[in-house]
Amino acid sequence: MNGKTALITGISGQDGSYLTELLLSKGYEVHGIVRQTSSLIANTSRLDGVYQDPHEPERRLFLHKGDVTDAGMLVNLVRDIRPDEIYNLASQSHVQVSFDLPEYTANVTALGAIRLLEAVRASGVDTRIYQASSSEMFGPAAPPQDETTAFHPRSPYGVAKLYAHWATVNYRESYGMFAVSGIAFNHESPRRGETFVTRKITRAAARIAAGIEKRVYLGNLEAVRDWGYAPEYAEAMWLMLQHDEPVDYVLATGRAATVRDFAEAAFAHAGLDWRDHVEHDERYERPAEVPELVGDAAKIGREIGWRAEVGWDRLARIMVDADLAALADRG
Ligand code: NAP
Ligand code: G4F
């Protein structure tokens, strides 16, 4: 035990699960907000490795039913837990979905952040806050993008993230809160949701190699992304809240590839030629695309010492291996 308490919104997501493991390993008491669904008490499969039964006397992981659209719930929870650190990872995080559900995305992703900031203010708790900002806020800005690059979001998701980002800056400047944004470029892992392009590709490559499927349908193959490895980004979030000063940082690898390059590498690692299995479907094209995101994370390297080690090609191999292993386990 290190005597510290953290609250994570979005604990059941990709990043939330890695951050939970990291904080538990550092001796934190970890609290997370999980959503009730019609068929499950909560979607907690990514937390299976660290889940603790409520009857466990030494328990350090606590899951609370809630939602970032419920302001009263957030105030009560922050007041009860009195966390030293809050990580706001809750979001409708899928860019394409945000074009179909723009108002819902704004409610969760933009207003969720301000509800949480207000909950901290209303409860009077002295806490440090991490806001999960996104490289999607840069839109078509020329790469490499860094902390000085002008924002130009190109999706309802990007617009919502920009609101949350500026709200975080504003609460820092207005109320002196230790509130910071990590402007994270794409980061992936075997726990990535199956509709994001990297996981869609690695899962398809594994299933095609196993003879379960024959092809996968993708949209724009020319988009360039700076794909990093999610556990390393969880470490950066934690480091930002340990820093002396509240400072916003870009989190990125600095290396990038096209969707086509990623597909080629993933299929090759599964022993396949991507050209035999990838087909185009325009339904996966977006009304407005972000063509090229490549981050320059020199500032956090200089000031905090964080650097991403895993680049997109190694990441593709890690994800294909995990998807192949999951199929083998299933028998
Ligand atoms: P993710 O896997 O989609 O996880 C999102 C989390 O938010 C899930 O736990 C989800 O719960 C929760 N959530 C959604 N709506 C909610 C609501 N109304 N109330 C409470 N919780 C809600 O996303 P991720 O990849 O881990 O990303 C974490 C954060 O970083 C997100 O804010 C994302 O937008 C941001 N980000 C991600 C990347 C990236 O490349 N991964 C890059 C930049 C920024 P359920 O499990 O119930 O759905
Ligand atoms: O994997 P994606 O859906 O990720 P996207 O849109 O870059 O957003 C992710 O990264 C952001 C950080 O920049 C996060 F803030 C956000 O929450 C999310 O985690 O798509 C990547 C690229 C896009 O250019 C998309 O048009 O892949 C292209 N793509 C091509 N075919 C596809 C597909 N994307 C998806 N999801 N599905 C396809 O079939």
Side-chain angles (χ1 to χ4, degrees):
M1 294 280 281
N2 71 0
K4 279 194 175 179
T5 298
L7 171 63
I8 304 175
T9 73
I11 193 169
S12 59
Q14 171 188 257
D15 292 5
S17 67
Y18 287 115
L19 182 63
T20 300
E21 290 169 11
L22 180 76
L23 296 180
L24 288 173
S25 76
K26 292 185 180 296
Y28 280 71
E29 179 177 302
V30 177
H31 295 256
I33 295 175
V34 290
R35 296 194 291 173
Q36 183 111 25
T37 73
S38 64
S39 57
L40 296 168
I41 292 170
N43 165 29
T44 54
S45 57
R46 291 182 177 109
L47 297 169
D48 282 350
V50 289
Y51 179 77
Q52 293 168 332
D53 188 275
H55 304 98
E56 166 68 53
E58 303 298 311
R59 179 155 81 115
R60 284 194 289 120
L61 175 60
F62 300 83
L63 299 181
H64 306 268
K65 285 190 202 74
D67 200 297
V68 295
T69 59
D70 190 323
M73 179 264 156
L74 292 173
V75 176
N76 287 329
L77 191 63
V78 171
R79 194 181 283 144
D80 287 352
I81 298 172
R82 307 190 68 77
D84 300 289
E85 297 169 11
I86 298 178
Y87 298 85
N88 184 30
L89 310 185
S91 174
Q92 188 303 96
S93 75
H94 202 286
V95 173
Q96 188 154 16
V97 169
S98 78
F99 285 102
D100 300 325
L101 304 175
E103 183 183 339
Y104 172 76
T105 300
N107 194 13
V108 175
T109 303
L111 297 182
I114 207 135
R115 285 188 196 100
L116 191 61
L117 290 160
E118 271 299 285
V120 169
R121 215 163 70 83
S123 61
V125 173
D126 185 16
T127 182
R128 296 186 167 202
I129 304 167
Y130 175 89
Q131 168 61 27
S133 286
S134 167
S135 55
E136 185 71 13
M137 301 186 309
F138 293 125
Q145 296 93 2
D146 66 13
E147 295 82 358
T148 66
T149 304
F151 297 121
H152 179 163
R154 297 257 285 175
S155 63
Y157 169 80
V159 172
K161 278 289 180 191
L162 191 53
Y163 177 94
H165 178 80
W166 280 118
T168 304
V169 173
N170 179 247
Y171 274 57
R172 181 168 75 219
E173 293 177 352
S174 304
Y175 306 117
M177 285 186 186
F178 193 112
V180 295
S181 279
I183 307 173
F185 284 62
N186 301 48
H187 45 279
E188 323 285 315
S189 74
R191 297 183 197 170
R192 185 59 142 153
E194 291 168 5
T195 62
F196 295 91
V197 79
T198 54
R199 184 75 199 290
K200 186 171 169 182
I201 290 169
T202 62
R203 185 169 174 271
R207 288 169 72 82
I208 292 167
I212 299 168
E213 283 171 10
K214 288 198 177 340
R215 59 188 68 85
V216 62
Y217 295 90
L218 298 177
N220 177 17
L221 298 181
E222 310 309 326
V224 173
R225 289 292 182 275
D226 176 334
W227 285 293
Y229 186 39
E232 298 189 329
Y233 289 62
E235 173 92 21
M237 295 172 197
W238 175 75
L239 283 169
M240 283 177 61
L241 291 197
Q242 314 315 305
H243 195 38
D244 301 340
E245 300 293 327
V247 182
D248 301 329
Y249 291 109
V250 156
L251 310 176
T253 72
R255 293 183 56 212
T258 60
V259 173
R260 181 195 306 275
D261 294 331
F262 191 93
E264 184 175 357
F267 274 82
H269 192 60
L272 300 165
D273 186 332
W274 73 282
R275 288 169 298 191
D276 298 335
H277 304 285
V278 174
E279 291 187 26
H280 181 257
D281 185 336
E282 67 180 18
R283 88 179 71 179
Y284 300 115
E285 303 267 352
R286 293 167 184 184
E289 177 64 287
V290 169
E292 192 173 2
L293 292 174
V294 190
D296 175 354
K299 186 175 176 198
I300 191 170
R302 234 178 11 252
E303 297 182 5
I304 297 191
W306 180 84
R307 267 174 208 86
E309 301 293 336
V310 178
W312 67 270
D313 35 7
R314 194 167 139 209
L315 173 71
R317 296 195 293 275
I318 291 171
M319 292 175 69
V320 170
D321 285 343
D323 278 318
L324 286 168
L327 284 180
D329 283 351
R330 252 183 29 180

